[in-house]
């Protein structure tokens, strides 16, 4: 019986130690009339309260009628003085290897949280994230929202 209690205690301690707090901040912008014009980027602002390095995520919501399996966009990051800190092109896949929509679904809406494998060092400040669509359609129909997610990098993350 003592052995069982020790094993159970060891399992519980392992579970508690393996849990860690992940800080994620996300903001999305609505796309007017669900038609994303190349001239009108999706813009979100975020207040960063902790100077650190952050992993970037692209957030996209579209309907089932969206006709492409990807989204090509440009992401730009500016500080409060309108200095561009980073700008890069993204080609984000919206489907799984089997060709089905990836992400979370509710009825005919699909939410994607796409890791961009881009890390940025941000200081405590307010930042402006601008996402411009670079697809061949202008306007790009059936896109409801676009935005950015930030996850604070901790020492233990790969």
């Amino acid at each position: 019986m003592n052995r069982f209690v020790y094993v159970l205690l060891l399992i519980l301690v392992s579970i508690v130690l393996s849990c860690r707090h992940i800080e994620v901040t996300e903001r999305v912008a609505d796309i007017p009339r669900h038609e994303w014009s190349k001239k009108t980027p999706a813009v979100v602002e975020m207040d960063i309260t902790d100077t650190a390095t952050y992993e970037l995520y692209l957030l996209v919501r579209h309907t089932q009628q969206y006709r492409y399996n990807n989204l090509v966009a440009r992401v730009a990051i500016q500080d409060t003085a309108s200095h561009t800190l980073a700008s890069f092109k993204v080609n984000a896949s919206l489907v799984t290897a089997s060709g089905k929509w990836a992400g979370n679904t509710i009825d005919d809406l699909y939410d994607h949280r796409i890791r961009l494998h881009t890390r940025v060092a941000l200081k405590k400040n307010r930042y402006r994230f601008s996402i411009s669509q670079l697809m061949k359609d202008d306007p790009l129909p059936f896109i409801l929202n676009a935005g950015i997610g930030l996850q604070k990098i901790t020492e233990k993350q790969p």
Side-chain angles (χ1 to χ4, degrees):
M1 186 65 170
N2 260 348
R3 189 177 203 186
F4 176 74
V5 172
Y6 286 123
V7 170
L8 185 60
L9 184 62
L10 181 62
I11 291 171
L12 288 174
V13 169
S14 298
I15 291 172
V16 169
L17 292 177
S18 67
C19 294
R20 63 176 189 224
H21 176 72
I22 298 174
E23 188 176 331
V24 177
T25 303
E26 296 181 345
R27 298 281 186 278
V28 294
D30 293 332
I31 304 300
R33 297 178 314 281
H34 306 158
E35 294 180 338
W36 194 0
S37 170
K38 289 185 178 189
K39 295 177 185 175
T40 309
V43 177
V44 294
E45 292 189 356
M46 287 191 220
D47 291 319
I48 302 301
T49 58
D50 193 12
T51 298
T53 301
Y54 294 85
E55 181 81 41
L56 287 174
Y57 291 83
L58 177 65
L59 309 174
V60 179
R61 177 180 287 159
H62 64 85
T63 66
Q64 188 173 3
Q65 291 84 14
Y66 183 70
R67 66 182 97 183
Y68 300 105
N69 63 4
N70 69 326
L71 175 67
V72 180
R74 174 156 310 280
V75 176
I77 306 169
Q78 293 181 323
D79 62 13
T80 53
S82 295
H83 295 117
T84 300
L85 305 175
S87 179
F88 51 91
K89 187 176 176 180
V90 173
N91 186 353
S93 176
L94 303 177
V95 296
T96 63
S98 65
K100 295 185 179 188
W101 290 119
N104 296 322
T105 180
I106 298 174
D107 289 330
D108 70 337
L109 300 179
Y110 296 87
D111 283 312
H112 302 272
R113 186 174 191 266
I114 303 155
R115 185 176 179 186
L116 298 180
H117 300 284
T118 301
R119 294 179 175 194
V120 291
L122 300 175
K123 296 179 181 178
K124 183 178 179 179
N125 201 350
R126 175 172 277 239
Y127 293 91
R128 179 184 174 115
F129 298 83
S130 177
I131 306 124
S132 301
Q133 68 96 349
L134 303 176
M135 301 292 285
K136 66 182 179 180
D137 290 357
D138 189 22
L140 181 62
F142 306 114
I143 300 288
L144 285 68
N145 308 94
I148 292 291
L150 296 175
Q151 181 177 341
K152 185 177 173 183
I153 305 286
T154 61
E155 304 286 327
K156 297 176 186 176
Q157 287 182 325

